[in-house]
Amino acid sequence: MILNLSRLGGNGTGMWQYSIKFLDCLHEIGNLDAIICPKMHADFLKKYNCELIIVPDFVSNTTDISKIRPILWLVYSYYLSIKLIIRYYNKDIISTTHHFLPFISNQVITVHDLRPYFHPDSFLQKILFRFLMKSKIRKIKHVITVSNVVKEKIVEVYNVSNNNISVIYNSINSSEFHQSYTKKKYLLSVGGNWKHKNIHKLLENHISWSADYYLIIVCSQTSYTNYLKELSKTLGIQDKVEFRHNIQFNDLKELYAYTSALVYPSIDEGFGIPPLEAFASLSPAIVSDIPVFHEVLKDNAIYVNPDLKESWDSALNLVSNLEANYLDKLILYANVYNLKNMKEMVLNFSKKL
């Protein structure tokens, strides 16, 4: 198999974590011939001791919404496809993102969620998910997704066979995280880069939390985070909200360990790894009451309707009255989503191909 990481983007993102763990699984089961990757990741990927097919960094992904980069990728994808057909015509090509290649039928793409179908960031993204994806997804060999909720949406929206879609959950390593029963008076938001993360609802309902907590938002610098900064000023809570950009994973683990609660009120997610990372840190998670969180987190999370102040009040009241045995249950549950579980799912998927 050839693993296509050409659109992977920056180190440390949720997409990066999923892709590298998927790569680890393929490498461990001995089913990896080559990796397609941007030049910026080549040094990191040398340790896998397989051929690296290097693509220019300008075709990789970023957290910024760009009108030019998707066009550059589209043009380059034709060149890359011809190159792969000539050298690897009989190999399965697996992408851990939704970006497909022209001409190639024996490829697999990963659709992490259908948020861009319902809530696109740009006109180009809307065209991709509403039209181009619908045509391509029926012609390629297989589709991977990260939850059964998303699988059902793909079947419904694109009218494809249930048998042509495999679910491979994300994973975490609980031993990487710090655990503490001592919590500080702050709430934590992770990955609030886009509007669908719904952090503005947390700010708008600040009356429920700003008297007792301050809020740390870990995010990239996007137009949405700029909007959140302006919103916090408009609401007069700029002194209760701190934005942290481009922090290291070790620093994030410290934040997880001592937060009173992770707050993750997304309106749409494919899987949602931050709540599990919070669980691995003995920290509770307040999440929006949407189907995918019920699938992944079950009754271990604290569910909230982000639009209702009364729901925020109830959730935060639960946080302030949690006991140690509840926190112990969280880390036990997080351990269910380990790399061994992901490896078994990758192996089953490989057998299908």
Side-chain angles (χ1 to χ4, degrees):
M1 294 181 182
I2 299 172
L3 189 61
N4 181 7
L5 304 181
S6 56
R7 292 283 286 167
L8 184 53
N11 187 328
T13 64
M15 191 76 74
W16 168 273
Q17 291 189 45
Y18 182 87
S19 299
I20 297 306
K21 290 167 186 172
F22 190 98
L23 169 58
D24 288 338
C25 293
L26 275 186
H27 185 255
E28 190 173 336
I29 64 178
N31 209 350
L32 185 64
D33 298 295
I35 303 171
I36 308 169
C37 68
K39 184 178 179 181
M40 62 180 170
H41 297 322
D43 287 341
F44 175 83
L45 296 172
K46 284 179 181 177
K47 64 183 181 181
Y48 291 95
N49 296 319
C50 65
E51 181 182 358
L52 297 183
I53 304 168
I54 307 297
V55 301
D57 287 342
F58 68 76
V59 304
S60 188
N61 212 348
T62 70
T63 56
D64 297 324
I65 298 175
S66 171
K67 295 180 180 179
I68 298 177
R69 194 176 292 269
I71 296 173
L72 294 175
W73 159 252
L74 178 62
V75 173
Y76 187 85
S77 68
Y78 282 88
Y79 165 76
L80 179 60
S81 294
I82 294 170
K83 180 179 177 179
L84 293 171
I85 290 170
I86 292 172
R87 295 188 61 188
Y88 304 101
Y89 69 95
N90 62 339
K91 296 290 184 181
D92 289 321
I93 300 171
I94 303 168
S95 173
T96 55
T97 69
H98 61 260
H99 302 92
F100 50 80
L101 295 167
F103 311 133
I104 298 175
S105 60
N106 60 319
Q107 67 176 305
V108 179
I109 63 170
T110 304
V111 180
H112 289 261
D113 58 72
L114 286 185
R115 188 273 309 166
Y117 183 95
F118 298 104
H119 311 284
D121 293 323
S122 65
F123 178 74
L124 288 175
Q125 194 176 71
K126 181 178 181 179
I127 294 297
L128 171 63
F129 273 81
R130 291 285 180 95
F131 302 104
L132 300 181
M133 187 81 80
K134 186 173 186 178
S135 171
K136 191 67 177 182
I137 210 167
R138 297 175 183 175
K139 298 175 182 177
I140 60 176
K141 190 168 186 178
H142 205 75
V143 176
I144 297 170
T145 192
V146 293
S147 66
N148 286 296
V149 167
V150 180
K151 179 178 179 177
E152 291 170 5
K153 287 183 181 179
I154 294 170
V155 170
E156 178 183 355
V157 168
Y158 294 129
N159 192 26
V160 294
S161 171
N162 191 64
N163 295 327
N164 288 340
I165 306 173
S166 293
V167 173
I168 299 177
Y169 284 146
N170 209 332
S171 68
I172 65 168
N173 182 354
S174 294
S175 65
E176 292 182 348
F177 293 85
H178 310 308
Q179 290 86 35
S180 175
Y181 292 102
T182 303
K183 304 300 180 183
K184 298 180 180 179
K185 300 297 283 186
Y186 67 86
L187 303 175
L188 177 64
S189 166
V190 175
N193 302 326
W194 314 109
K195 188 175 181 180
H196 74 278
K197 296 296 185 180
N198 215 21
I199 305 303
H200 56 281
K201 287 297 181 181
L202 176 59
L203 298 183
E204 289 170 2
N205 287 279
H206 65 91
I207 293 175
S208 298
W209 55 265
S210 57
D212 299 311
Y213 304 97
Y214 67 97
L215 172 64
I216 298 176
I217 301 176
V218 175
C219 57
S220 301
Q221 298 192 57
T222 66
S223 58
Y224 179 64
T225 56
N226 290 334
Y227 164 73
L228 294 178
K229 291 175 183 178
E230 291 301 317
L231 179 60
S232 65
K233 292 177 183 177
T234 301
L235 296 171
I237 57 171
Q238 63 269 31
D239 294 337
K240 302 291 292 187
V241 182
E242 177 185 350
F243 292 85
R244 297 196 187 180
H245 303 298
N246 304 317
I247 72 169
Q248 299 297 313
F249 191 45
N250 282 336
D251 296 328
L252 178 59
K253 288 187 285 189
E254 288 290 321
L255 291 174
Y256 273 132
Y258 295 104
T259 185
S260 292
L262 173 77
V263 186
Y264 208 67
S266 299
I267 61 172
D268 197 333
E269 287 289 335
F271 183 85
I273 198 70
L276 290 174
E277 293 177 334
F279 290 176
S281 310
L282 292 178
S283 294
I286 300 173
V287 302
S288 49
D289 193 357
I290 58 176
V292 69
F293 288 147
H294 284 279
E295 176 187 342
V296 175
L297 307 174
K298 302 197 184 313
D299 62 352
N300 297 282
I302 299 170
Y303 292 93
V304 65
N305 181 337
D307 295 320
L308 298 180
K309 176 185 178 300
E310 296 80 4
S311 187
W312 285 108
D313 290 341
S314 175
L316 289 159
N317 182 59
L318 287 173
V319 168
S320 62
N321 291 287
L322 292 177
E323 298 180 356
N325 60 350
Y326 175 87
L327 301 180
D328 290 335
K329 184 180 79 166
L330 295 181
I331 192 170
L332 288 175
Y333 185 75
N335 288 333
V336 171
Y337 291 93
N338 56 32
L339 194 61
K340 179 182 177 182
N341 179 63
M342 187 178 186
K343 179 185 172 185
E344 289 176 356
M345 299 181 96
V346 171
L347 183 59
N348 289 334
F349 151 75
S350 299
K351 290 177 180 177
K352 282 186 181 180
L353 293 192

